[in-house]
């Protein structure tokens, strides 16, 4: 007998700002069936005809319970109010209390922006990347960088998205800060494994950052004055409950410090985020989001250096029916850097950029209460300009010079089905198929031996016309996750994913720099591939107050892009002779205990991991520890709400030192230079890294009823003033006058930050 | 690129501090280091043979004086190099040709060194070099405002053609009153012509001079192989431990076995100027 099924669907929003909420749990109590809102705040649930009590829960918000008589389809948007006890109950994850065990997805961390803002921060500038760097399975190269390394992968293997647009370099001031302004972030998630089929293009992780839409009910603003940068955010309705905007700006003033130091130098960065959205009706929503960020460094008006990201995202969310949700996005992204010298005889300007334009559609089809299907298509056009140089004066010694641009088309189709077999057993099965074409115009040079970077003999060339395919690569990326509930409070999960990466970073240092360039897979570079299997045990204790996560992973990476020893990566017309693609392997154990409720919240995590790399012609073809191979990583992150006036925060991090190559000996050449001589790559380790940071947030004058509120954040970085290793270099040993002592060398360790207090003043109005 | 690395060094020193630390190093087997030079100037030709020492050793890398050293060329040259006869410690490792030789453009020269029963061979080509049109002096206003050494703010400007139909590689050396000088202690001045136009129209050279100093400039035309050796050497000398720069490795050289050093064949021109 056919059963009549009806659908309950709609958006879920914050009652005070109108902001859509991502990941709200919707549960039909009597059936014990549920769903959660998607990345756009939409949910859809299909159940048999009947009368049901439905609960909408989201940590930090008042629970809403409603009763529906489902005799036809109901589309109703729900508004949730922030819970009045918010100051006592800090949000840790944005989801329902036990989502971590009931969801089929694993190896995923959500970053709570409220908490990030209360944690101690370098120079008082809250930064989600610094919190990402503390998560289990993530390691860093040290401090003062915005790069991170996920489960044995290198830092170019992370896809970093802001409103779906890729960010090629997330750093400000060489990584002291990241490009993410905490004031505009709504939601950010890091996927380390079991990566959903809608994401692809990088091997190791996805950091998906979504910005806020702006308050659609009333005007509000926030501003902050920090020791290194200041911020202001304005938002409000254009038309109440229908359209809203948000604009935020941030600028640093490092240069003023340098001016005080008597230097005519300019060093600054800025960010602008802007977004407008328009709800035509509940079936059609439009968004336009822009990001613009730039660093400019200028030394004595002679040496100039700048880089920045620009992104734009246009998004249309459409409901075909209560069960079929469509997101269509058009995304543009541009990263560029410029370097120049002002000089009559040696003046030059050097520019490089990477641009891409993407169109994509994503469908979510809520088939019934047990099955959800997601599928979609995307297409990108990418232009890589590795570099062009022009003389800036007529008398400059430099000639105009351009390296050929590279063009690529990057398509992908995916489909994924999520099914609950019963209340215990969920399976997610997906497939993503990337199809990558490197296309003309381009000239490929053929070499007698393309692995010989000294005696380069070109034997011919292949010329490709506009749009003509140079090489095309198709990949099949199976994705699989399953969850088995052991009991109401614990589950086991297993996942497997394959990822391809067709964008290759051209850099051989440990930490990428803004003046690195990227190249597509093409005639010489083949797609990089990663296979990862992970398993985990998830348990919640004390009514979901504590959650325990244990995960193990193994990752094998094939064709990872490396370079010959002594590779010349800048302005090399014969760059393919430097390419060496090899393999890399990583495995690890991650454990985390998280406290999600109460005055004290935070987590303790420990990761044991190992990562090795093997690159042809490097280290005598032997495997060596990856640049980011750090065996033990232990982190504590906590915030404590002492009262409505005071909130305290603290982080502690410990990690095994990064591997480094150190000399086997030294020698002398030209009767003058004493170079080191090396026998092994990464055979040594820097000393251990550990650091404690503390913060206190003060809300003065809470009792006063006034239009604006303020708070102070006091932060101490590196509380016990540990000299943490940044790197080691060698030099001639110096005597007391700073002169070289003949025939003596020494190793010197660079360390960055001593104990650093900072104060930030914030107001909201 | 050098600008970048220098810039990064400045950045790290602005934001950080450094201190000496002790590395716990393994003893490595000493390796032979052979440096050979053959040019169109008979006074500039020599071979020097030493060995590596441990990183923390405080001795001069030991001289190897027992090697058989022979240079042959496609122009029929066949000369034996003999160990230097004197006993000044700094010169013990040198070998000089039995009879003076002058390299000829277009010819290929091969160095053979036999030591302890092993023969090490390397070959390199002598390329033709253009002449220096002129040198001139120039006051650097920034240096004059704030000179590192009092009164030293004159730079030498170089005028010379750059042939655009050949791929050229250059090595420069600068002398002040007869002593070789560098702007920064670990500088090596090499360039390829990829980004260069057809004329060095008064290119500022890096060393500063005092009024009355004698400035001398040597310009060497070297091969790509030699150029890469010097670039690699520069990278390894200025390495930051692989944080931003590539992980350190030994410079590529033209010897047929795994040893250190290089055999460089070059043509050179020189010019000098009294700063006034």
């Amino acid at each position: 007998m056919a059963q009549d099924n009806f659908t309950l669907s709609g958006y879920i929003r914050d009652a005070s700002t109108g902001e859509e909420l991502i990941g709200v749990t919707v549960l039909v109590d009597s059936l014990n069936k549920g769903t959660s809102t998607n990345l756009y705040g939409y949910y859809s649930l299909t159940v048999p005809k009947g009368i049901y009590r439905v609960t909408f829960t989201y940590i930090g918000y008042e629970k809403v319970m409603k009763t529906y008589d489902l005799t036809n389809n109901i589309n109703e948007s729900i508004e949730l109010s922030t819970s009045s006890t918010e100051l006592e109950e800090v949000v840790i994850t944005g989801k329902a209390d036990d989502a971590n065990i009931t969801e089929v997805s694993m190896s995923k961390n959500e970053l709570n922006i409220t908490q990030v803002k209360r944690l101690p921060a370098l120079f008082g500038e809250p930064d989600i990347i610094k919190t990402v760097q503390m998560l289990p399975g993530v390691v860093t190269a040290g401090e003062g960088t915005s790069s991170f390394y996920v489960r044995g992968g290198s830092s170019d293997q992370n896809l970093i998205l802001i409103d779906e647009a890729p960010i090629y370099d997330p750093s400000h001031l060489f990584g002291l800060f990241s490009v993410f302004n905490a004031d505009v972030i709504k939601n950010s998630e890091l996927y380390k494994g079991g990566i959903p089929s809608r994401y692809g293009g990088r091997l190791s992780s996805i950091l998906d950052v979504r910005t806020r839409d702006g308050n659609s009910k009333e005007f509000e603003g926030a501003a902050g004055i920090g020791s290194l940068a200041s911020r202001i955010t304005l938002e409000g309705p254009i038309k109440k409950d229908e359209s809203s905007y948000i604009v935020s700006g941030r600028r640093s003033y490092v240069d003023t410090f340098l001016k005080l130091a008597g230097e005519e130098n300019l060093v600054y960065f800025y960010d602008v985020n802007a977004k407008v959205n328009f709800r035509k009706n509940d079936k059609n929503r439009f968004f336009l989001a822009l990001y613009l960020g730039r660093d400019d460094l200028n030394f004595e008006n002679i040496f100039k250096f700048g880089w920045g990201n620009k992104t734009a995202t246009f998004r249309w969310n459409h409901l075909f029916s209560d069960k079929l949700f469509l997101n269509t996005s058009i995304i543009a992204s541009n990263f560029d850097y410029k370097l120049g010298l002002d000089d009559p005889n040696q003046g030059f300007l050097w520019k490089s950029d990477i641009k891409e334009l993407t169109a994509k559609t994503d469908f979510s089809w809520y088939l019934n209460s047990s099955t959800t299907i997601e599928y979609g298509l995307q297409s990108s056009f990418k232009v890589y300009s590795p570099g062009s140089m022009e003389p800036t004066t007529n008398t400059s010694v430099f000639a105009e010079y351009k390296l050929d641009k590279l063009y690529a088309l990057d398509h992908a189709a995916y489909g994924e089905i999520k099914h609950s077999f019963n209340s215990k057993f969920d399976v997610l099965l997906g497939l993503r198929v990337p199809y990558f074409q490197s296309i003309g115009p381009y000239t490929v040079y053929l070499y007698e031996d393309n692995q010989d970077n000294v005696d380069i003999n070109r034997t011919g060339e292949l010329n490709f016309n506009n749009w003509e395919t140079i090489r095309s690569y198709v990949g099949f990326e199976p994705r699989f996750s399953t969850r088995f509930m052991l009991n109401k409070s614990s589950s086991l999960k297993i996942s497997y994913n394959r990822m391809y990466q067709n964008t290759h970073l051209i850099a051989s240092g440990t930490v990428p720099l803004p003046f690195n360039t990227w190249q597509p897979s093409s005639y010489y570079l083949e797609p990089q591939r990663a296979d990862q299997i992970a398993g985990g045990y998830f348990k919640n204790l004390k009514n979901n107050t504590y959650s325990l996560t244990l995960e193990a992973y193994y990752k094998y990476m094939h064709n990872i892009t490396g370079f010959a020893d002594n590779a010349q990566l800048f302005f090399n017309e014969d760059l393919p002779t430097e390419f060496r693609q090899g393999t890399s392997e990583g495995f690890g154990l991650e454990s985390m205990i998280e406290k999600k409720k109460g005055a004290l919240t935070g987590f303790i995590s420990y990761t044991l991991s190992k990562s090795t790399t093997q690159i042809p012609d490097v280290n005598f073809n032997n495997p060596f520890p990856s640049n980011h191979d750090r065996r033990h990583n232990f982190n504590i992150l906590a915030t404590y709400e002492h009262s409505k006036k005071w909130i305290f925060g603290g982080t502690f991090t410990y990690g095994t030192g990064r591997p480094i190559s150190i000399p086997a000996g030294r020698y002398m050449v030209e009767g003058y230079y004493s170079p080191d001589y090396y026998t092994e790559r990464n055979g040594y380790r820097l000393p251990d890294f550990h650091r404690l940071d503390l913060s206190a947030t003060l809300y003065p004058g809470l009792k006063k009823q006034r239009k604006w509120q303020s708070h102070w954040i006091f932060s101490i970085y590196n509380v016990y003033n540990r000299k943490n290793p940044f790197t080691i270099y060698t030099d001639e040993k110096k005597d007391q006058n700073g002169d070289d002592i003949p025939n003596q060398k020494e190793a010197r360790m660079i360390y960055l930050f001593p104990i650093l207090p900072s104060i930030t003043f914030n107001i909201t109005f | 690129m050098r600008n970048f690395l220098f810039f990064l060094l400045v950045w790290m020193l602005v934001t950080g501090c450094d201190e000496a630390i002790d590395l716990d190093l393994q003893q490595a087997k000493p390796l032979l280091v052979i440096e050979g030079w053959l040019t169109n100037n008979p006074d500039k030709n020599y071979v020097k043979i030493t060995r590596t020492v441990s990183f923390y050793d405080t001795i001069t890398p030991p001289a190897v004086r027992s090697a058989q050293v022979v240079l042959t060329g496609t122009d029929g040259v066949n000369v034996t190099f003999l160990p230097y006869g004197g006993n000044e410690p700094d010169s013990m490792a040198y070998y000089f040709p039995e009879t003076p030789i002058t390299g000829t453009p277009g010819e290929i020269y091969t160095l053979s060194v036999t030591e302890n029963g092993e023969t090490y061979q390397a070959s390199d080509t002598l390329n033709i070099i253009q002449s220096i049109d002129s040198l001139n002096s120039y006051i650097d206003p920034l240096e004059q405002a704030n000179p590192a050494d009092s009164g030293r703010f004159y730079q030498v400007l170089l005028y010379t053609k750059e042939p655009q139909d050949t791929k050229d590689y250059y090595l420069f050396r600068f002398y002040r009153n007869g002593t070789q000088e560098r702007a920064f202690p670990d500088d090596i001045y090499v360039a390829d012509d990829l980004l260069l136009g057809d004329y060095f129209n008064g290119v500022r050279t890096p060393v500063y001079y005092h009024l009355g100093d004698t400035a001398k400039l040597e310009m060497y035309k070297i091969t790509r192989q030699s150029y890469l050796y010097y670039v690699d050497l520069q990278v390894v000398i200025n390495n930051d431990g692989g944080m931003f720069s590539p992980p350190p490795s030994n410079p590529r050289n033209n010897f047929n076995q795994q040893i250190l050093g290089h055999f460089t064949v070059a043509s050179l021109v020189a010019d000098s100027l009294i700063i006034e």
Side-chain angles (χ1 to χ4, degrees):
Chain A
M1 191 183 85
Q3 210 174 16
D4 287 335
N5 286 325
F6 295 104
T7 301
L8 175 67
S9 64
Y11 285 96
I12 300 183
R13 306 195 174 98
D14 179 303
S16 61
T17 66
E19 194 85 33
E20 265 89 20
L21 299 171
I22 299 171
V24 176
T25 301
V26 182
L27 193 71
V28 180
D29 299 353
S30 56
L31 297 175
N32 198 21
K33 291 213 166 193
T35 184
S36 58
T37 55
N38 69 7
L39 288 167
Y40 311 94
Y42 182 76
Y43 76 97
S44 171
L45 193 63
T46 302
V47 287
K49 180 178 173 179
I51 296 171
Y52 299 104
R53 198 177 63 166
V54 180
T55 328
F56 300 88
T57 47
Y58 194 59
I59 291 188
Y61 286 80
E62 298 276 12
K63 188 189 274 189
V64 169
M65 277 183 277
K66 291 200 144 198
T67 304
Y68 293 97
D69 185 2
L70 275 178
T71 51
N72 50 10
N73 293 335
I74 295 176
N75 182 295
E76 189 179 85
S77 291
I78 307 289
E79 294 195 335
L80 300 184
S81 308
T82 45
S83 78
S84 51
T85 54
E86 195 205 4
L87 277 175
E88 278 83 50
E89 281 194 20
V90 184
V91 186
I92 281 288
T93 62
K95 302 221 164 177
D97 292 1
D98 63 349
N100 61 311
I101 50 171
T102 58
E103 275 183 350
V104 67
S105 63
M106 62 181 292
S107 308
K108 184 176 94 169
N109 295 94
E110 266 186 73
L111 293 141
N112 178 260
I113 197 68
T114 314
Q115 186 171 46
V116 168
K117 287 180 182 173
R118 291 166 175 178
L119 289 170
L122 180 63
F123 300 111
E125 219 22 56
D127 189 346
I128 53 161
I129 297 253
K130 300 295 187 279
T131 305
V132 166
Q133 290 173 337
M134 299 194 71
L135 295 169
V138 180
V139 300
T140 68
E143 60 191 335
T145 90
S146 289
S147 58
F148 56 95
Y149 306 78
V150 180
R151 291 190 168 175
S154 55
S155 64
D156 57 303
Q157 297 172 1
N158 306 318
L159 179 63
I160 299 174
L161 300 170
I162 184 164
D163 287 321
E164 304 172 67
I167 295 281
Y168 279 87
D169 186 298
S171 73
H172 281 311
L173 300 177
F174 296 105
L176 287 189
F177 307 110
S178 81
V179 297
F180 299 108
N181 176 353
D183 284 354
V184 292
I185 296 171
K186 165 168 161 178
N187 180 276
S188 37
E189 286 184 285
L190 178 74
Y191 298 87
K192 302 175 291 192
I195 295 174
S197 309
R198 63 177 177 275
Y199 298 112
R202 297 291 172 93
L203 298 187
S204 286
S205 84
I206 314 290
L207 178 64
D208 188 356
V209 178
R210 309 250 164 180
T211 61
R212 296 198 287 121
D213 296 333
N215 194 321
S216 61
K217 297 187 181 288
E218 57 179 2
F219 172 80
E220 66 177 340
I225 300 169
S227 14
L228 266 196
S230 284
R231 297 162 276 121
I232 182 159
T233 304
L234 301 172
E235 59 189 296
I238 299 169
K239 192 174 173 197
K240 195 170 184 241
D241 287 333
E242 195 176 287
S243 52
S244 64
Y245 69 92
I246 181 167
V247 188
S248 184
R250 177 167 72 145
R251 191 201 188 277
S252 74
Y253 27 77
V254 191
D255 39 337
T256 49
F257 288 101
L258 291 175
K259 278 208 183 96
L260 290 177
E263 300 283 332
E264 260 313 299
N265 298 327
L266 187 67
V267 180
Y268 74 96
F269 71 82
Y270 64 83
D271 288 307
V272 179
N273 294 82
K275 196 171 187 181
V276 287
N277 82 93
F278 171 58
R279 279 176 217 157
K280 188 165 182 289
N281 45 46
D282 260 357
K283 288 219 181 312
N284 291 289
R285 305 212 41 193
F286 301 92
F287 305 78
L288 179 65
L290 302 171
Y291 168 75
L292 172 67
R294 194 146 197 96
D295 280 67
D296 261 307
L297 304 112
N298 179 332
F299 288 88
E300 297 187 326
N301 249 333
I302 296 173
F303 186 69
K304 292 170 182 172
F305 185 24
W307 72 91
N309 293 283
K310 299 183 196 92
T311 72
T313 308
F314 170 76
R315 219 154 70 189
W316 170 41
N317 288 351
H318 177 71
L319 286 176
F320 282 104
S321 71
D322 299 336
K323 291 182 176 183
L324 187 60
F325 180 92
L326 166 68
N327 173 68
T328 304
S329 302
I330 296 169
I331 300 154
S333 171
N334 176 72
F335 173 76
D336 79 291
Y337 74 85
K338 283 186 187 134
L339 182 95
L341 190 71
D342 258 5
D343 183 271
N345 303 307
Q346 277 134 279
F348 70 87
L349 180 66
W350 168 354
K351 291 190 243 182
S352 167
D353 64 45
I354 175 165
K355 293 186 175 83
E356 65 176 78
L357 184 65
T358 301
K360 65 169 196 165
T361 58
D362 304 288
F363 290 88
S364 307
W365 183 18
Y366 303 92
L367 198 59
N368 54 50
S369 64
S370 325
T371 311
T372 307
I373 295 175
E374 294 195 0
Y375 54 97
L377 279 174
Q378 78 172 67
S379 251
S380 303
F381 176 59
K382 301 181 175 180
V383 184
Y384 305 75
S385 311
S388 71
M389 178 144 179
E390 55 190 65
T392 48
T393 63
N394 287 331
T395 53
S396 174
V397 65
F398 294 109
E400 200 171 311
Y401 181 77
K402 257 194 180 95
L403 284 167
D404 287 347
K405 289 184 181 180
L406 297 105
Y407 300 86
L409 291 170
D410 186 1
H411 318 280
Y414 71 88
E416 184 173 279
I417 180 164
K418 191 161 77 178
H419 183 74
S420 300
F421 284 97
N422 52 46
S423 60
K424 281 188 177 343
F425 190 44
D426 273 19
V427 170
L428 182 150
L429 200 58
L431 180 69
R432 185 182 175 91
V433 182
Y435 179 64
F436 193 88
Q437 294 170 279
S438 65
I439 54 170
Y442 195 66
T443 301
V444 171
Y445 297 106
L446 303 173
Y447 300 95
E448 193 181 289
D449 175 5
N450 67 25
Q451 303 284 285
D452 184 349
N453 56 9
V454 177
D455 197 9
I456 293 169
N457 277 316
R458 287 186 185 173
T459 55
E461 57 183 55
L462 302 172
N463 288 295
F464 294 89
N465 296 324
N466 291 359
W467 304 100
E468 193 184 345
T469 302
I470 300 168
R471 274 285 154 96
S472 60
Y473 295 101
V474 65
F476 292 91
E477 304 180 354
R479 312 285 173 93
F480 168 80
S481 311
T482 181
R483 185 225 62 208
F484 182 76
M485 294 297 293
L486 295 171
N487 53 44
K488 273 207 137 182
S489 68
S490 62
S491 64
L492 287 176
K493 300 181 192 182
I494 293 171
S495 72
Y496 162 76
N497 67 235
R498 167 172 284 189
M499 309 292 285
Y500 279 97
Q501 179 165 345
N502 284 298
T503 296
H504 308 257
L505 179 68
I506 307 301
S508 55
T510 300
V511 175
L513 286 168
F515 48 81
N516 292 144
T517 58
W518 299 77
Q519 289 222 341
S521 294
S522 187
Y523 194 82
Y524 290 106
L525 279 176
E526 292 190 26
Q528 308 180 66
R529 191 187 75 207
D531 290 287
Q532 188 194 166
I533 181 159
Y537 172 71
F538 301 80
K539 164 111 186 133
N540 283 2
L541 298 160
K542 295 211 168 163
N543 194 22
N544 299 319
T545 302
Y546 294 92
S547 74
L548 169 73
T549 306
L550 284 173
E551 289 196 41
Y553 68 88
Y554 172 77
K555 183 152 75 180
Y556 181 78
M557 290 175 276
H558 180 72
N559 271 342
I560 59 152
T561 300
F563 304 91
D565 275 340
N566 294 303
Q568 297 296 309
L569 302 183
F570 286 86
F571 274 89
N572 187 345
E573 289 177 308
D574 298 301
L575 193 62
T577 63
E578 309 284 15
F579 296 154
R580 302 286 185 274
Q581 291 191 289
T583 57
S584 183
E585 198 177 25
F587 53 88
L589 266 173
E590 301 165 3
S591 55
M592 176 155 97
I593 296 172
E594 191 172 355
K595 183 164 185 289
K596 301 194 283 191
K597 295 178 184 174
L600 177 71
T601 57
F603 66 76
I604 299 175
S605 80
Y606 168 73
T607 305
L608 172 72
S609 63
K610 185 173 167 147
S611 168
T612 52
T613 300
Q614 189 168 18
I615 302 284
D617 296 350
V618 169
N619 200 41
F620 306 102
N621 293 318
N622 294 321
F624 55 90
S626 306
N627 291 338
H628 45 271
D629 174 46
R630 301 176 67 184
R631 193 75 61 248
H632 306 280
N633 283 278
F634 176 74
N635 292 306
I636 303 176
L637 180 155
T639 54
Y640 175 67
E641 301 216 15
H642 175 263
S643 60
K644 294 202 172 184
K645 213 168 172 175
W646 286 101
I647 299 167
F648 298 100
T651 56
F652 174 76
T653 181
Y654 166 86
T656 309
R658 173 171 74 78
I660 190 166
S661 305
I662 55 160
R666 67 175 171 86
Y667 57 108
M668 180 165 272
V669 291
E670 312 249 309
Y672 176 82
Y673 304 106
S674 359
D676 298 330
Y677 124 70
Y678 291 89
T679 53
E680 189 185 10
R681 180 174 288 197
N682 287 347
Y684 198 79
R685 282 187 185 275
L686 291 176
D688 290 350
F689 186 106
H690 50 91
R691 195 187 70 230
L692 173 71
D693 308 328
L694 295 172
S695 67
T697 306
L698 169 67
Y699 290 87
L702 263 187
K703 286 174 195 141
K704 289 173 204 152
Q705 286 300 317
R706 59 185 177 203
K707 270 206 88 82
W708 59 277
Q709 295 287 350
S710 67
H711 64 274
W712 296 84
I713 302 174
F714 308 94
S715 196
I716 303 175
Y717 188 86
N718 197 3
V719 170
Y720 55 88
N721 201 20
R722 157 89 177 167
K723 288 174 182 173
N724 274 309
F726 183 69
T727 191
I728 287 176
Y729 70 100
T730 66
D731 202 359
E732 276 75 29
K733 197 168 179 175
K734 306 277 194 285
D735 63 19
Q736 285 159 338
N737 303 323
D739 295 324
D740 290 358
I741 303 172
N743 286 315
Q744 288 196 42
K745 288 196 82 169
E746 63 179 359
R748 299 189 69 83
M749 181 181 88
I750 297 184
Y751 56 95
L752 291 188
F753 306 112
I755 180 166
L756 274 178
S758 62
I759 300 176
T760 309
F761 178 66
N762 293 300
I763 54 169
T764 52
F765 48 88
Chain B
M1 192 49 223
R2 282 242 321 288
N3 281 332
F4 284 151
L5 291 176
F6 173 66
F7 173 76
L8 277 170
L9 193 73
V10 170
W11 178 254
M12 287 197 295
L13 292 178
V14 164
T15 50
C17 318
D18 70 337
E19 65 180 25
I21 63 156
D22 276 330
L23 300 178
D24 176 20
L25 298 172
Q26 308 285 321
Q27 285 295 326
K29 212 177 97 197
L31 207 58
L32 205 59
V33 184
I34 303 176
E35 295 171 81
W37 269 92
L38 191 270
T39 71
N40 56 344
N41 179 340
D43 296 337
K44 295 272 182 185
N45 304 331
Y46 68 86
V47 172
K48 189 181 178 191
I49 309 175
T50 54
R51 286 188 201 282
T52 61
V53 295
S54 291
F55 182 79
Y56 284 119
D57 280 352
T58 55
I59 52 166
T60 311
V64 174
R65 293 181 54 81
S66 55
Q68 278 88 57
V69 181
V70 179
L71 180 102
T72 56
T74 46
D75 54 357
V77 163
N78 188 330
V79 182
T80 301
F81 281 56
L82 296 174
Y84 175 68
N87 55 5
E88 303 93 324
D90 284 353
S91 308
M92 296 287 280
Y94 283 85
Y95 292 69
F96 293 106
E98 236 177 349
T99 51
I101 29 170
T102 305
T104 312
E107 305 294 341
I108 301 169
Y109 296 92
T110 302
L111 179 71
S112 294
V113 172
T114 306
E115 161 65 13
N116 224 349
E118 287 279 343
T119 299
Y120 307 91
Q121 275 197 336
S123 300
D124 202 14
T125 308
L126 199 123
N127 289 327
I128 193 157
I129 190 167
Q130 72 275 19
S131 55
I132 293 173
D133 288 351
S134 63
L135 301 180
N136 210 341
S137 67
Y138 165 85
I139 294 176
D140 180 356
L142 281 174
E143 192 70 14
Q144 188 180 25
N146 189 17
D149 287 300
S150 155
R152 268 193 200 146
F153 46 78
Y154 291 86
Q155 279 181 311
V156 167
L157 305 182
L158 168 66
Y159 298 82
T160 181
K161 286 185 228 9
E162 206 297 298
Q164 297 286 288
D165 53 340
T166 48
K167 279 200 170 183
D168 301 301
Y169 304 90
Y170 298 95
L171 169 73
F172 294 93
R173 287 176 177 166
F174 308 101
Y175 298 83
R176 187 197 294 130
N177 302 324
T179 308
Q180 192 179 349
E181 296 291 341
R182 298 160 183 89
F184 294 94
D186 287 335
D187 280 358
I188 297 174
Y189 302 103
V190 281
D192 66 3
D193 65 356
L194 184 65
L195 305 172
L196 298 177
D198 59 359
Y199 199 71
F200 282 62
N201 190 15
V203 170
R204 282 159 65 179
T205 58
V207 173
Y208 288 103
Y209 300 91
H210 197 280
L211 208 60
D213 281 347
T214 302
K216 185 179 161 201
L217 180 154
E218 288 177 348
M219 178 166 81
Y220 296 78
K221 180 81 62 82
I222 55 179
T223 56
R224 173 173 164 82
Q225 163 70 66
S226 301
Y227 166 75
L228 293 176
Y229 165 73
Y230 282 104
V231 169
D232 295 352
L233 185 62
Q234 196 171 44
V235 170
V236 77
I237 292 172
N238 292 298
N239 195 275
D240 69 1
M243 190 69 180
F244 300 118
S245 66
S249 46
N250 300 323
R252 291 166 279 183
N253 67 27
N254 49 2
F255 283 99
N256 60 345
Q257 298 198 42
Q258 292 273 354
I259 58 162
L260 299 166
H262 189 256
F263 174 49
T264 310
V265 175
S267 52
L268 94 103
V269 288
D271 200 356
S272 52
L273 173 77
I274 294 169
I275 308 289
E276 46 181 32

